[in-house]
Amino acid sequence: MATDSIDTTPYDIDWTTVAQVKNSSEQFQIMSRWDLRFLNLAEHISVWSKDPSTKCGAVITNNNRIISLGFNGLPRGVPDLENYLQDRELKLQMILHAEVNAILFARRSLEGCTIYTWPFLSCCRCASIIIQSGLARIVTRLCEDELAKRWAEELEIARKLYREAGVKVVEIDLKKKEAPLD
């Protein structure tokens, strides 16, 4: 594909390049532009979160159509009070994760759908909910920063759950670049 025919819509991800990704069987594949678009959308939605430490976003799709969106936040009707959000232990008990919000907001069967998460793979609790919801695939960025270190044990358990349940996991390494596929 010639680079002049590539979509160059101004997003945070440069559409003239694409990442090589590692799936759960440790094989590499080329990521499509749609996967990058939806991952970028999950990143955009993450900024809606009022969480002062970790802003997470999720997008659920089916055949390149958006089914639902979610970000991490307090339940509907609960005010985003600073004392809730600044107390880490209290916040972790009260906040809904982006994946759960997207699943609840969908209000339909998610059998065979894909979920995109930002900034990293879902925690093990969300992984269980994703599996139980019938989602077939999760796409996220390969996270190798401080967040990954802080959540390492949770993320490893989530990978194990996905592997055992047969949910395809795609972690995009945004540092590696290849020509995009449609």
Side-chain angles (χ1 to χ4, degrees):
M1 174 186 288
T3 56
D4 59 1
S5 67
I6 294 173
D7 179 359
T8 57
T9 308
Y11 293 102
D12 291 330
I13 297 173
D14 179 0
W15 297 118
T16 62
T17 62
V18 71
Q20 209 178 30
V21 298
K22 184 172 70 171
N23 66 24
S24 57
S25 64
E26 305 296 323
Q27 298 171 332
F28 285 91
Q29 65 186 36
I30 302 300
M31 185 53 43
S32 77
R33 277 195 250 163
W34 281 108
D35 283 333
L36 289 173
R37 286 177 178 131
F38 291 132
L39 186 60
N40 189 52
L41 182 57
E43 179 185 19
H44 175 76
I45 289 162
S46 73
V47 302
W48 300 349
S49 171
K50 302 254 180 15
D51 186 329
S53 64
T54 307
K55 296 185 180 299
C56 300
V59 176
I60 298 174
T61 67
N62 189 21
N63 297 321
N64 295 336
R65 299 282 184 228
I66 296 170
I67 303 301
S68 188
L69 310 170
F71 57 92
N72 56 324
L74 294 169
R76 171 174 58 181
V78 177
D80 295 315
L81 299 177
E82 194 170 319
N83 63 316
Y84 293 162
L85 298 171
Q86 296 299 327
D87 179 337
R88 182 168 170 74
E89 291 306 312
L90 179 61
K91 177 186 72 173
L92 290 175
Q93 291 178 342
M94 294 176 69
I95 208 159
L96 286 171
H97 290 191
E99 301 91 332
V100 173
N101 260 335
I103 289 167
L104 291 172
F105 186 71
R107 295 184 180 218
R108 61 161 272 186
S109 170
L110 300 174
E111 202 70 37
C113 292
T114 296
I115 187 166
Y116 297 83
T117 63
W118 186 270
F120 48 73
L121 190 66
S122 56
C123 70
C124 55
R125 278 194 351 228
C126 286
S128 294
I129 294 167
I130 287 168
I131 292 163
Q132 202 66 12
S133 298
L135 289 154
R137 185 169 171 259
I138 181 166
V139 179
T140 190
R141 81 176 174 107
L142 181 62
C143 187
E144 301 174 318
D145 55 16
E146 284 304 310
L147 285 175
K149 291 176 188 166
R150 184 171 33 160
W151 293 94
E153 186 177 338
E154 283 271 337
L155 300 179
E156 205 45 52
I157 294 169
R159 285 184 188 96
K160 180 179 189 259
L161 285 167
Y162 287 131
R163 194 170 35 253
E164 290 180 5
V167 174
K168 185 175 181 182
V169 174
V170 180
E171 293 182 275
I172 301 175
D173 184 349
L174 295 173
K175 297 173 192 163
K176 296 185 179 185
K177 299 179 176 30
E178 301 255 338
L181 297 178
D182 286 326

